[in-house]
Amino acid sequence: MRTETASEEQDHHLPAPEDWPKGFGEASWWPFVSAMGVVGLYVGAGFYVLSHGGNSYVPQIASPVVFVLGTVVFLGGLYGWLYHGFVDHYWYREGGGQTKLRWAMTLFLGTEVATFGAGFVYYFFIRVGTWPPTGQTIPDVMSSLVLINTLILIASSFTLHYSHMSLLRGKRNRFITFLALTILLAFVFLGGQIYEYNLFIAHEGFTLTSGVFGSAFFGLTGLHGLHVSLGIVLMCILFVRAAYGQFSSERDTSVTTVTMYWHFVDAVWIFLVVSLYAGATLSG
């Protein structure tokens, strides 16, 4: 009887023991690798500030190099984490743990609220003071481009929700179609944000180092852009897995958690538009 139980446990073991590095028990190093990549992104942003705006504390080349390396490490860690934790073993284990994974995403989004909250506290602190800040000219950040981009991002939330609902109703082709449409809308939104950055930086000289508002604006919108990029990566992984026949109405945990993440990203953007874009145009 004891042998039978051990055999069952072996058949239903967590994927981590077969993960890298070998013999690390039930834990996995991939989340740690992903976290190191995120650290690289923040360090790269810090190096940018330290090498621009009249500062020469570090060489200007340090910022893009560290940022690119951080991106590569983060995406590599994310790939290993998701592949070994979900994709590779999808066919070989029964569904289970859905509630735990949804709660894990909820807790992760709680940490994201704290991350964005720190940036908003900084912005609100400078916004309640003299406006515009002494010696600074605030550009007209509220434009038709922002409104169009907002509508695109809101529409992507609806298409992703409809995609998930199609999966739950057993309509796989419609699920994949609307998932692809969501990815397309996300790319269009990201392209619009890049175009907006180009207008500000190249034509108006408004950059991250343009005073306290510049650091708040590019810090918050750039952080949101990184989250949009991550959302695109996650949805592309869903799309590839769906193309291989994974996911069903009974096994949709990954779709649910990514949907939760994307709705959060959309909600943050709406708050950004109201407080940062529209709020910056109001007289003090």
Side-chain angles (χ1 to χ4, degrees):
M1 188 68 164
R2 188 173 295 175
T3 306
E4 222 174 90
T5 305
S7 176
E8 287 178 4
E9 288 178 356
Q10 189 175 359
D11 291 338
H12 295 85
H13 67 273
L14 294 174
E18 295 182 2
D19 199 359
W20 170 83
K22 300 290 185 181
F24 198 67
E26 296 294 332
S28 171
W29 278 78
W30 289 115
F32 178 77
V33 174
S34 300
M36 290 298 98
V38 173
V39 170
L41 299 180
Y42 283 107
V43 171
F47 280 175
Y48 179 86
V49 174
L50 293 175
S51 62
H52 289 74
N55 300 320
S56 57
Y57 300 108
V58 295
Q60 291 191 3
I61 191 63
S63 173
V65 169
V66 173
F67 197 87
V68 169
L69 287 176
T71 302
V72 171
V73 172
F74 170 71
L75 292 178
L78 183 66
Y79 170 81
W81 188 359
L82 293 176
Y83 185 84
H84 290 282
F86 298 96
V87 182
D88 191 37
H89 291 263
Y90 179 88
W91 307 110
Y92 308 110
R93 57 178 177 174
E94 298 176 2
Q98 293 93 336
T99 302
K100 291 181 180 179
L101 290 172
R102 291 187 178 100
W103 272 110
M105 175 56 74
T106 302
L107 292 174
F108 170 73
L109 294 181
T111 65
E112 292 296 282
V113 170
T115 301
F116 278 100
F120 279 114
V121 167
Y122 170 70
Y123 167 68
F124 292 145
F125 179 78
I126 63 174
R127 185 62 183 84
V128 297
T130 303
W131 196 258
T134 305
Q136 295 183 39
T137 301
I138 304 299
D140 186 13
V141 294
M142 194 68 182
S143 64
S144 56
L145 176 61
V146 176
L147 297 178
I148 293 172
N149 243 11
T150 302
L151 291 176
I152 290 172
L153 199 60
I154 292 174
S156 71
S157 258
F158 281 100
T159 56
L160 185 58
H161 173 75
Y162 192 68
S163 172
H164 190 194
M165 291 300 102
S166 299
L167 175 65
L168 295 179
R169 292 168 186 153
K171 300 177 180 178
R172 292 189 53 81
N173 290 335
R174 188 176 296 176
F175 159 61
I176 296 175
T177 299
F178 277 91
L179 179 58
L181 179 58
T182 305
I183 295 172
L184 176 62
L185 290 173
F187 271 114
V188 173
F189 172 85
L190 199 58
Q193 193 168 13
I194 293 172
Y195 178 69
E196 179 189 52
Y197 274 19
N198 178 66
L199 292 177
F200 285 141
I201 296 172
H203 298 280
E204 299 191 30
F206 179 54
T207 68
L208 178 67
T209 58
S210 299
V212 291
F213 178 70
S215 61
F217 179 85
F218 285 98
L220 282 167
T221 56
L223 181 63
H224 181 267
L226 287 175
H227 282 74
V228 171
S229 301
L230 175 59
I232 291 174
V233 172
L234 294 175
M235 288 189 290
C236 286
I237 293 173
L238 289 184
F239 183 81
V240 172
R241 292 182 62 184
Y244 276 98
Q246 295 189 1
F247 306 127
S248 66
S249 57
E250 294 80 23
R251 304 184 71 175
D252 67 326
T253 306
S254 296
V255 180
T256 300
T257 52
V258 172
T259 301
M260 292 168 62
Y261 174 85
W262 192 248
H263 289 334
F264 169 80
V265 169
D266 286 10
V268 170
W269 177 253
I270 294 174
F271 192 68
L272 271 172
V273 170
V274 173
S275 61
L276 188 64
Y277 283 88
T281 61
L282 300 175
S283 59

